[in-house]
Amino acid sequence: MKKTVVILTIIVILQAALNTYFLFFDHRDYTYGGEEKWFVENSPYPETFCQITATQSQSESALALNAPTKVFISVHSKKQLANFTETINNKGKQLDSSNYSVEWYKDHVVLKLYDCDGSYHTYRFYYDD
């Protein structure tokens, strides 16, 4: 009887540890969907069409309050120029227009993604690439 109680206690402790891990630390990856679009920017130059689409991810864990946000960026002109995923450290806040800037030029576009501390990542895409 005592042996059964010890085994059951160990199982309960292990299960509680696994539940705690999945609840607090397993911030499973993210899903992307049309309803989660962050922004869409189009080139102001009609002769060089280019579009940048950013989709914000939704964390599967409700407890990821201060977690960075993953975004999926797609850039295309006449053909696909880039598809990539980036992480923006925004301390769990909703992304808005202060988290990015786009500079359009005749032959390229510059995209900057800003973290909450003011640091940023810069990307340059040439339409002919």
Side-chain angles (χ1 to χ4, degrees):
M1 176 75 177
K2 191 174 183 179
K3 196 176 197 180
T4 306
V5 171
V6 170
I7 291 173
L8 287 175
T9 304
I10 291 172
I11 291 173
V12 167
I13 291 171
L14 288 174
Q15 186 64 49
L18 280 172
N19 289 347
T20 303
Y21 170 78
F22 284 116
L23 184 63
F24 292 105
F25 302 109
D26 186 35
H27 303 296
R28 288 256 163 143
D29 236 27
Y30 303 83
T31 57
Y32 299 101
E35 70 278 0
E36 300 157 357
K37 279 209 166 85
W38 175 26
F39 69 85
V40 176
E41 293 278 339
N42 292 309
S43 169
Y45 305 110
E47 65 276 0
T48 55
F49 170 78
C50 184
Q51 184 178 65
I52 301 174
T53 304
T55 306
Q56 179 178 338
S57 64
Q58 297 291 326
S59 175
E60 290 183 4
S61 172
L63 298 175
L65 300 176
N66 288 326
T69 301
K70 284 190 179 182
V71 294
F72 178 74
I73 307 289
S74 175
V75 183
H76 67 276
S77 60
K78 296 174 186 158
K79 59 183 178 182
Q80 191 71 34
L81 297 178
N83 278 327
F84 63 97
T85 303
E86 181 61 79
T87 302
I88 298 177
N89 184 7
N90 60 336
K91 295 192 177 180
K93 296 179 183 172
Q94 187 73 19
L95 295 176
D96 58 23
S97 60
S98 68
N99 294 105
Y100 80 96
S101 68
V102 178
E103 299 169 17
W104 296 101
Y105 299 94
K106 294 259 184 200
D107 64 338
H108 68 281
V109 59
V110 176
L111 171 66
K112 292 182 182 177
L113 301 174
Y114 296 94
D115 291 331
C116 62
D117 63 359
S119 62
Y120 58 89
H121 308 262
T122 303
Y123 301 94
R124 183 180 307 236
F125 306 100
Y126 288 88
Y127 308 136
D128 294 335
D129 286 345

